[in-house]
Amino acid sequence: MYCEFYGLNEKPFTITPNPHFIYLSQNHREAYARLVYGIDTHAGFIALTGEVGTGKTTLLRTLLSQLDPGKYRSALIFNPCLSGEQLLASICREFCIDPAERNSFGYLDALNLFLVDQHAAGHTVVLVIDEAQNLTPAVLEQVRMISNLETEQDKLIQIILAGQPELNDVLARHDLRQLSQRITVRCRLAAMGLDDSCDYISHRLKISGCRIPGLFSREAVKRIYRYSKGI
């Protein structure tokens, strides 16, 4: 009834991070470009931060969906409340790796063989860990160990750590300074301004098939912006 009344094909404002609805503000375009640059230059570690609701997960899912499967192998970990061994098991599962031993050594050894094979085939391997601010220092240290899998000339895996601003506080810990120093590309998603908020609403309505011009008045958009603060 909701969609029919407003002339929509689907609901335009669900909170699911759907790449179909991606709206790239100037800030989002810059962050996207940095992510692509970090991956294609084999930077090793990339950090993406932003407040809840700024579009991190949607941007990441859009990025992964647009990576050519003929050139890239990618995996997304979105449940970071794991132990180091559980994280390794999840990474192997996402890359469809079958380790000989179901323990940390077995997972790491199988992952290393997979990365070497992919590198030899000319593929870039990308691992995205979302909500990374929830990772414990011990697990983050395990992530750093994964990044040690490299050749003399190149990193075998590109790791994107994405999370809320608290991720910066975690990475600033003294005991994680080795990991922080390895992050060569950093990008931050900020809240949108009024004009972008207006364009965002119009964009989602258009994608949803809205046939009613000016469904949200300028005053309505201003009120939404004041309430949401661009998030």
Side-chain angles (χ1 to χ4, degrees):
M1 182 174 66
Y2 168 91
C3 290
E4 183 181 355
F5 183 83
Y6 288 106
L8 303 168
N9 298 325
E10 56 186 316
K11 293 182 179 180
F13 301 114
T14 60
I15 61 174
T16 306
N18 186 349
H20 178 58
F21 283 100
I22 186 72
Y23 169 76
L24 295 176
S25 67
Q26 179 62 34
N27 180 231
H28 286 77
R29 285 195 295 271
E30 290 176 1
Y32 187 89
R34 283 175 176 262
L35 291 173
V36 172
Y37 170 80
I39 291 171
D40 286 345
T41 59
H42 290 194
F45 265 115
I46 305 164
L48 171 67
T49 57
E51 270 295 350
V52 177
T54 51
K56 298 184 299 299
T57 302
T58 304
L59 189 69
L60 290 170
R61 289 184 182 274
T62 300
L63 172 70
L64 294 179
S65 70
Q66 294 185 1
L67 292 178
D68 181 357
K71 297 173 57 180
Y72 301 90
R73 296 290 183 269
S74 62
L76 171 63
I77 304 296
F78 52 86
N79 177 26
C81 296
L82 305 167
S83 68
E85 184 171 311
Q86 289 171 333
L87 177 65
L88 286 172
S90 295
I91 293 170
C92 287
R93 184 168 57 250
E94 289 298 314
F95 283 123
C96 299
I97 300 171
D98 186 18
E101 299 180 44
R102 305 285 173 174
N103 54 41
S104 293
F105 175 80
Y107 293 131
L108 199 59
D109 186 54
L111 179 59
N112 185 49
L113 291 175
F114 168 79
L115 294 177
V116 170
D117 288 344
Q118 293 301 313
H119 183 266
H123 298 149
T124 297
V125 179
V126 182
L127 171 66
V128 177
I129 303 178
D130 203 1
E131 301 296 342
Q133 77 280 349
N134 294 324
L135 293 174
T136 65
V139 176
L140 280 169
E141 180 61 17
Q142 180 69 75
V143 174
R144 186 183 71 82
M145 294 299 291
I146 295 172
S147 75
N148 285 340
L149 303 178
E150 58 188 7
T151 66
E152 292 181 357
Q153 295 86 21
D154 209 358
K155 293 288 185 182
L156 290 177
I157 186 168
Q158 314 312 309
I159 302 174
I160 300 176
L161 296 176
Q164 298 166 26
E166 291 82 358
L167 176 59
N168 291 324
D169 298 331
V170 173
L171 294 174
R173 289 173 53 113
H174 181 73
D175 56 337
L176 292 175
R177 62 191 182 281
Q178 284 185 299
L179 172 59
S180 184
Q181 289 169 357
R182 292 191 180 191
I183 298 175
T184 54
V185 177
R186 297 177 185 259
C187 37
R188 182 178 71 90
L189 289 181
M192 292 185 291
L194 175 59
D195 289 341
D196 273 329
S197 296
C198 181
D199 290 342
Y200 170 82
I201 291 171
S202 297
H203 173 77
R204 293 191 74 109
L205 287 171
K206 180 180 179 181
I207 295 297
S208 298
C210 182
R211 298 183 295 274
I212 303 175
L215 183 58
F216 283 79
S217 68
R218 183 70 176 179
E219 184 56 37
V221 173
K222 287 181 179 178
R223 291 193 178 199
I224 292 169
Y225 174 70
R226 285 198 296 268
Y227 178 80
S228 68
K229 298 180 176 61
I231 293 179

